[in-house]
Amino acid sequence: MPGRYGRRRSVPKMRTVAGQFFLLQVAIVVLLVAAAVAALVLQARADSEREARRRSVAVAEAFASSPGIEAALNSPNPTAVLQPLAERARKLSGVDFIVVMNRAGIRYTHPLPDRIGKKFVGNLEPALNGGIVVERITGTIGPLVQAVVPVIGRDGTVVGLVSAGITIERVGGVVEQQLPLLFGSAAGILLLTTAGTALVSRRLRRQTHGLGPAEMARMYEHHDAVLHAVREGVLIIDGDGRLLLANDEARRLLGLPTDVEGRVPTELGLDPVTAELLASGRTVTDEVVAVGERLLAVNQRPTDRDGGPPGSVTTLRDTTELRALTGRADVARRRLNLLYEAGAEIGTTLDVVRTCEELAEFARAHFADFATVDVAEAVLRGEEPTATGVDAEWRRIAFSGIREDTPLHPVDSMIRFLPTTPLGTGLRRGEAVLDTDLAAFSGWQQQDPARARQLVEHGFHSVIAIPLRARGAILGVALFWRSAQSEPFEDEDLSVAEELVARAAVNVDNARRYTREHNMAVTLQRSLLPHGVPEQSAVDVAYRYLPAQAGLGGVGGDWFDVIPLPGARVALVVGDVVGHGLHAAATMGRLRTAIHNFSTLDLPPDELLWHLDALVARIDQDEAADSADAGVTGATCLYAIYDPVSGRCTMARAGHLKPVIVDPDGTSEFADVPGGPPLGLGGLPFETLEALLPENSRLVLYTNGLVEDRHRDIDEGLALLRRTAAENADRTPEEICEAVLRTLVPERARDDIALLVGRTRRLDAADVVQLQVPSDPSSVSLVRAEVSRKLAEWDLVEETFTTELIVSELVTNAIRYATGPIGVRLLRDRSLICEVSDHSSTSPHLRQAATTDEGGRGLFLVAQFADRWGTRYMDHGKVIWAEQSLSAAPPPSSPSAP
């Protein structure tokens, strides 16, 4: 584990004090153990040699004194007698040899039989003279220690000699047998002493922190210099409560004398509070203590928490000047925090009224008892204020206070500030006004003397008025009041209020400008949307259009349309352009105009959407050419054609939501219209759904803003729409619209909503005449007669001539130029409609005939006498139709749009 100063504590470095001490101790122990072992080995060898001398002499003397030795020497064969005895005695005594010899030194016995009879090696003279010889020689069996003693006869003369000895090898073997024990003891001693030395070195290392002598000396010098040079007082008190150390700064801050070491804090002449704190040794953090005119921040910690010595260390820091700076820094920090919070809480929406309300609420919550905000009328409309200051009339749009019952002007009241009052003067100059004593009535009461007295009676004692200035224009004025519950405003509060209002004014101006743009977009969009429902008898229609809430989503590109078609039919359209703002509204207008143009061609829904898809693709190409970063326009659309004669409704959709069909019995379902891609993708065909709708069925068309909401899933919104429509199946389209919006639309919509509800009608069978005409010119008169009869039945005598002319011309053209069966249909609706159908896809065209031409005037006459005429293509052929206005009163019209 790393120790202090980056060293590992597990291994003592040799350059540290602990390492050097450890190395010295180990070297001494090793030398002592080696010397002891050497001495023991030498001593063992000397003792072994003495033992060998003693044993050799003893064995030789014992054998020389044994009974019968003299007789054996005098016997004819001494070897035969003495050799067995000598060998047995040698083995029993543990010597290496026992040699018996005559006075001439000739051996009679020897452990090696081949040595018998040979001369003994050694000094024999002392023994022949009756003495004993002990010597170390190299004999016939190797280096040895031997003793030679005489054999004394009965007459006292030396009759022979006996020698006993031990070889050096046997002596060394005894010593070597003792060496394992000797070295084991030495190793144990070395290990024990090394471990003791390591423990002592470890403690020394812990106390010196692994530093070397030079480092310790340098560290002591540095620490001593730092201790007395720092601008922080340091006091160290031991476990007995006596002062061990006080640096120069501590002596200066506390006014201590020079001889303070060893004394208790209560004897240092300090005030009781400071002395008690130092003597207590308790843990304190930044506790402020007054010492004379100084404010000292005291930090105190015990020194024995991590195994250190008992006592405490105290640091002292002079915070007298820092306190003053901290106070100013705290004020600045509080102001910054206040402005930061204001930035987060004011201007959360791009709505002028809501932004002013947030300003009033924030001011009341943080530094005022009451707050009001007044703005110019033009600002509420998103316009630049033309009159400011005392020339303007302000509307109070925000109020917030600790109570509601105040004499202040209520919200929505109009106020004009007098130029003679301080507030009027401030508004004229665009400057803030502070009045810290309202009760002095220093001129502010001229605005409304009676109300001024009431304000003072209610405890209002100070006010700050600050104009809302943005880009050089005064948008309004914010007034902050304090009452008896708070201290009067000060200059410090004025600067805070000015910064707060300055930031809020930027948000108000942004909201104003957004309101202007939003109003422009709404105006543009409403100008592009239908201003009413055209007269038609196919469906009763009600509609609603709700733009997105200002500041949330902005104006979008939702639209709807009701387009009368030839043959008493009607087209119902809803669509949605992707995105918001002026671009979306303008694109919506272009698409709506295109649909009107395409509808004049009387195209089926799928073909109309195909042409509309190509148009959107061209719009994207044109915008991409103008701007590299232009986005794809994108739009969805649902187009439905309802025929009141047959009750058939043909629908197609391009990326739009399915419509809801509600039967007269209250059953509701989503029409399974095949889904096509959104407009602008191109390349994919659209499919249609043809449904037979009973009379009084409800057809609900809508945009996604109605069912989509961030607080609910779209499937939940669709289910809620279907259920609401079913529950109101017996109501009028107007009532269904109200019920749907009330149920599904939140208070603040984030997207545009277009809703179109139609109740289907059927033309009476008596108002429809259908004829089949043979392809024979003679049948024209028959058709003309039948038409005349039917018009008389409908009481349309005045239209008989014109209608006969139109029918005869159209039928004659069909007989002459067309193929297949020819049909004639008369419809009495708001107009009289004449339709002639055939199986030819060739469309007739209008031309100007010359005076000499025999033909070419038929369609010209039709165009002159009919209000409108045209051609509608079908799967098998075409229909040429012509409409005439009726002088009789039309059938009941559909309810007027809201």
Side-chain angles (χ1 to χ4, degrees), residues 475-687:
L475 309 178
V477 59
L479 292 95
F480 308 120
W481 309 79
R482 280 188 181 176
S483 59
Q485 288 79 3
S486 304
E487 295 294 326
F489 283 120
E490 300 176 351
D491 293 338
E492 186 77 24
D493 299 315
L494 178 61
S495 61
V496 173
E498 286 179 323
E499 294 182 16
L500 176 63
V501 173
R503 296 194 175 203
V506 174
N507 294 324
V508 171
D509 187 56
N510 290 338
R512 178 196 63 79
R513 298 172 68 182
Y514 176 81
T515 300
R516 180 185 61 189
E517 295 180 0
H518 180 77
N519 291 341
M520 291 172 57
V522 170
T523 302
L524 172 62
Q525 187 178 44
R526 290 196 181 277
S527 67
L528 297 174
L529 288 172
H531 296 285
V533 176
E535 293 184 353
Q536 46 83 32
S537 302
V539 290
D540 293 335
V541 175
Y543 63 88
R544 293 291 187 275
Y545 172 74
L546 298 178
Q549 182 71 32
L552 296 181
V555 173
D558 293 15
W559 87 92
F560 66 93
D561 237 324
V562 179
I563 306 174
L565 298 177
R569 297 170 303 140
V570 66
L572 303 178
V573 189
V574 291
D576 183 8
V577 176
V578 176
H580 296 84
L582 293 175
H583 180 267
T587 303
M588 177 271 291
R590 298 170 71 179
L591 295 183
R592 181 169 177 261
T593 302
I595 291 176
H596 273 268
N597 293 333
F598 292 146
S599 68
T600 60
L601 302 176
D602 213 349
L603 299 174
D606 55 340
E607 291 187 24
L608 186 143
L609 290 181
W610 185 85
H611 286 288
L612 198 63
D613 177 67
L615 173 64
V616 173
R618 287 196 299 272
I619 291 175
D620 286 338
Q621 292 176 0
D622 294 342
E623 292 185 350
D626 294 339
S627 176
D629 57 350
V632 176
T633 299
T636 64
C637 183
L638 172 65
Y639 189 86
I641 298 177
Y642 174 69
D643 186 353
V645 178
S646 63
R648 294 188 179 279
C649 183
T650 306
M651 296 172 281
R653 63 190 180 103
H656 206 81
L657 297 172
K658 298 178 181 179
V660 178
I661 298 178
V662 184
D663 293 336
D665 60 359
T667 303
S668 66
E669 63 180 355
F670 289 100
D672 193 16
V673 183
L679 300 175
L681 296 183
L684 296 177
F686 298 95
E687 300 181 39

Side-chain angles (χ1 to χ4, degrees), residues 238-439:
D238 62 13
D240 297 331
R242 297 186 176 276
L243 187 64
L244 293 179
L245 182 144
N247 69 344
D248 295 343
E249 184 66 10
R251 297 172 187 271
R252 185 185 70 83
L253 294 176
L254 297 178
L256 300 178
T258 57
D259 54 342
V260 294
E261 284 77 6
R263 301 168 63 180
V264 297
T266 54
E267 300 176 354
L268 302 179
L270 303 174
D271 63 276
V273 175
T274 307
E276 188 277 331
L277 176 61
L278 297 177
S280 66
R282 70 176 186 271
T283 301
V284 296
T285 301
D286 288 336
E287 182 173 323
V288 179
V289 176
V291 178
E293 296 181 354
R294 294 190 178 95
L295 292 176
L296 304 183
V298 180
N299 288 273
Q300 189 165 272
R301 296 289 186 275
T303 57
D304 56 355
R305 290 190 303 178
D306 298 324
S312 63
V313 59
T314 305
T315 59
L316 310 171
R317 187 173 65 257
D318 191 352
T319 62
T320 306
E321 297 179 359
L322 183 61
R323 286 286 168 176
L325 295 176
T326 302
R328 291 192 291 271
D330 289 341
V331 172
R333 185 172 61 253
R334 286 195 299 269
R335 178 180 297 182
L336 290 176
N337 290 338
L338 181 67
L339 296 176
Y340 173 79
E341 294 175 5
E345 298 182 21
I346 301 175
T348 58
T349 64
L350 290 173
D351 182 79
V352 173
V353 175
R354 182 56 193 154
T355 302
C356 293
E357 290 174 350
E358 290 171 347
L359 170 60
E361 293 168 0
F362 184 85
R364 189 268 307 163
H366 290 83
F367 71 97
D369 295 334
F370 300 91
T372 61
V373 181
D374 310 324
V375 299
E377 282 288 331
V379 174
L380 296 177
R381 298 191 298 269
E383 304 171 1
E384 288 278 0
T386 55
T388 59
V390 295
D391 300 324
E393 191 173 23
W394 312 94
R395 179 180 294 277
R396 178 150 297 175
I397 62 172
F399 166 82
S400 182
I402 58 177
R403 66 178 187 271
E404 297 294 331
D405 56 331
T406 67
L408 295 171
H409 289 280
V411 174
D412 282 336
S413 59
M414 302 301 297
I415 305 171
R416 183 184 294 273
F417 295 102
L418 298 179
T420 57
T421 63
L423 180 55
T425 303
L427 284 176
R428 185 173 62 250
R429 298 176 179 175
E431 299 176 351
V433 176
L434 169 62
D435 194 332
T436 59
D437 187 7
L438 296 178

